Amino acid sequence: MELPKFILGDNTDYPNAIFIIHTEFPRFVINLENDEVEFFEEFDQHDEKELETEMENYIQQATDFYDREIARYED
């Protein structure tokens, strides 16, 4: 099965949270309520340095995805 790069998720246990799941490497979930990020992978020191420089971009992509999805619901 081919998954989309981002998936929008919610959970009734977290009524104010909006989750964006990033399905490609590095796989992670971001909670847009508080910008908390949880990774599904473990990283070595080299990966962590690269990830630090790219994380802002990933968060922006996730936020753009959310904005796009909400705009489509409103149409």
Side-chain angles (χ1 to χ4, degrees):
M1 166 180 20
E2 186 173 331
L3 295 174
K5 184 174 183 175
F6 292 104
I7 298 172
L8 183 62
D10 68 353
N11 186 302
T12 57
D13 291 335
Y14 303 91
N16 297 322
I18 300 169
F19 299 100
I20 304 295
I21 301 100
H22 184 255
T23 63
E24 298 176 357
F25 185 83
R27 296 175 302 153
F28 64 87
V29 175
I30 182 170
N31 180 345
L32 294 181
E33 176 187 28
N34 57 17
D35 292 333
E36 186 175 334
V37 176
E38 182 73 31
F39 290 95
F40 295 118
E41 276 96 17
E42 293 187 21
F43 303 102
D44 62 23
Q45 287 181 340
H46 177 266
D47 289 338
E48 285 180 9
K49 288 181 183 180
E50 185 175 327
L51 188 60
E52 286 177 19
T53 61
E54 292 295 321
M55 205 55 218
E56 184 176 329
N57 186 38
Y58 290 131
I59 291 172
Q60 184 61 53
Q61 288 177 18
T63 303
D64 292 346
F65 165 76
Y66 172 76
D67 291 343
R68 186 192 79 189
E69 291 298 299
I70 294 305
R72 288 180 177 176
Y73 282 117
E74 292 173 352
D75 289 340

